[in-house]
Amino acid sequence: MRKMKKWFTVGLIFVLAAALMAGCGKSETTSGSSDDPIQQIKDKGKVVVGVKYDTYLFGYKDPKTGKVEGFDIDIAKAISKKIFGDKVKVELKEVTSKTRIPMLQNGDVDMVVATMTITPDRKKVVDFSDVYFDAGQSLLVKKGSKIHSVKDLKKGTKVLTVKGATSGDNVKKAAPDTQVLEFENYQEAFTALKSGKGDALTTDNSILYGMAAQDPDYQVVGGTFTNEPYGIAMKKGNTKLVKAVNKALKELKDSGEYDKIKNKWIKE
Ligand code: GLU
């Protein structure tokens, strides 16, 4: 009986090893076009790009026209055209600061172009392109406010931002005594500021200038207190796509197309 059991175990190991070897062989022969992220996108006929809908001037869905527009959108379209040509459609999908990493990991989007800072923590879970824009964190207040810089955020002041952004942690470090309230997206946070739920709104200056352009009663104050270099995020390990995006970015910069896009949306 014991002998039989032994032979059964040996047999089982043999069968498993054979199955494993067959599996390896299979993946070797099927690698090639289907493992190539660029070819996969070409085969789909579309590249799905995660962009903001709540960030005026960078990625914003105009409630009047329904159009999604901004600096990030134009960068995404220009890069896609360089890598995939005209036949591949750019499908824009809404992400927020909170949802963009999970959506990338789930495969809901192929890349994220959404005011996203390259940080060491994020680099552990996604891959980034080279820097394509330099922002820095600042404050937005109502004109006439007593808050002029991050130094004025003391005990008793309330500062608003969004979930999933670097901004919350940054402001807690820069002003440890202030109270931080986090919202789902930037338009909600801005509405909260306007209705008096906070004394200031904090995030990247690039985003805050967009809000000040939407409502002239508000202004950006105090300069920047962090560096926020933006990168295009892709699924971890997608090296081929990252290389193609970097090449496209360089070409856009060298040809002057990048500056044209920047000047269209961002006024100094
Ligand atoms: N750039 C910062 C970040 O990536 C703030 C802007 C945003 O929330 O997208 O967290």
Side-chain angles (χ1 to χ4, degrees), residues 52 97 100 114-117 122 162 164-167 186 203-204 207 228 230:
K52 295 284 189 71
S97 302
R100 61 193 161 192
T115 66
M116 188 168 180
T117 301
R122 288 176 179 165
V162 304
T166 50
S167 326
Y186 283 110
T203 186
D204 301 341
I207 299 175
E228 306 291 329
Y230 291 176

Side-chain angles (χ1 to χ4, degrees), residues 49-53 59 68 72-73 76 92-96 112-114:
V49 186
V51 296
K52 295 284 189 71
Y53 278 18
V68 183
D72 279 344
I73 314 297
L92 302 174
K93 212 175 220 185
E94 181 181 13
V95 298
T96 64
V112 163
V113 191

Side-chain angles (χ1 to χ4, degrees), residues 37-240:
I38 296 175
Q39 193 56 46
Q40 278 172 2
I41 290 169
K42 282 185 180 165
D43 292 345
K44 270 195 300 183
K46 64 174 184 183
V47 55
V48 187
V49 186
V51 296
K52 295 284 189 71
Y53 278 18
D54 64 348
T55 305
Y56 189 59
L57 301 181
F58 274 76
Y60 183 67
K61 186 169 183 178
D62 187 331
K64 283 184 210 125
T65 62
K67 267 191 169 177
V68 183
E69 296 175 318
F71 174 74
D72 279 344
I73 314 297
D74 284 355
I75 291 288
K77 286 181 179 165
I79 280 176
S80 168
K81 195 169 171 179
K82 285 243 176 260
I83 304 175
F84 308 110
D86 282 324
K87 280 199 199 115
V88 169
K89 221 177 72 188
V90 178
E91 186 180 303
L92 302 174
K93 212 175 220 185
E94 181 181 13
V95 298
T96 64
S97 302
K98 193 177 85 176
T99 65
R100 61 193 161 192
I101 289 179
M103 282 180 75
L104 206 50
Q105 290 174 322
N106 289 343
D108 288 336
V109 290
D110 297 308
M111 56 175 98
V112 163
V113 191
T115 66
M116 188 168 180
T117 301
I118 304 168
T119 70
D121 273 351
R122 288 176 179 165
K123 268 174 144 175
K124 288 179 197 153
V125 288
V126 297
D127 281 344
F128 281 103
S129 71
D130 296 335
V131 177
Y132 73 94
F133 186 81
D134 277 302
Q137 191 167 335
S138 191
L139 299 174
L140 182 80
V141 295
K142 191 164 186 167
K143 282 180 181 164
S145 162
K146 282 187 195 128
I147 294 168
H148 303 290
S149 85
V150 75
K151 287 191 196 89
D152 300 319
L153 299 176
K154 302 219 168 84
K155 209 171 172 181
T157 55
K158 275 187 200 154
V159 61
L160 315 178
T161 191
V162 304
K163 294 174 187 166
T166 50
S167 326
D169 286 342
N170 289 342
V171 79
K172 280 174 203 163
K173 271 185 214 138
D177 295 329
T178 194
Q179 189 185 349
V180 180
L181 302 177
E182 292 183 332
F183 292 80
E184 292 302 319
N185 64 58
Y186 283 110
Q187 291 302 313
E188 269 184 32
F190 192 25
T191 304
L193 180 71
K194 290 196 246 185
S195 63
K197 290 200 178 105
D199 304 294
L201 195 160
T202 191
T203 186
D204 301 341
N205 53 355
S206 45
I207 299 175
L208 298 177
Y209 282 121
M211 291 175 179
Q214 283 182 305
D215 190 331
D217 284 346
Y218 289 82
Q219 63 180 359
V220 182
V221 292
T224 57
F225 60 94
T226 69
N227 293 319
E228 306 291 329
Y230 291 176
I232 295 169
M234 284 151 277
K235 204 171 189 169
K236 189 112 197 107
N238 214 341
T239 322
K240 203 165 172 188

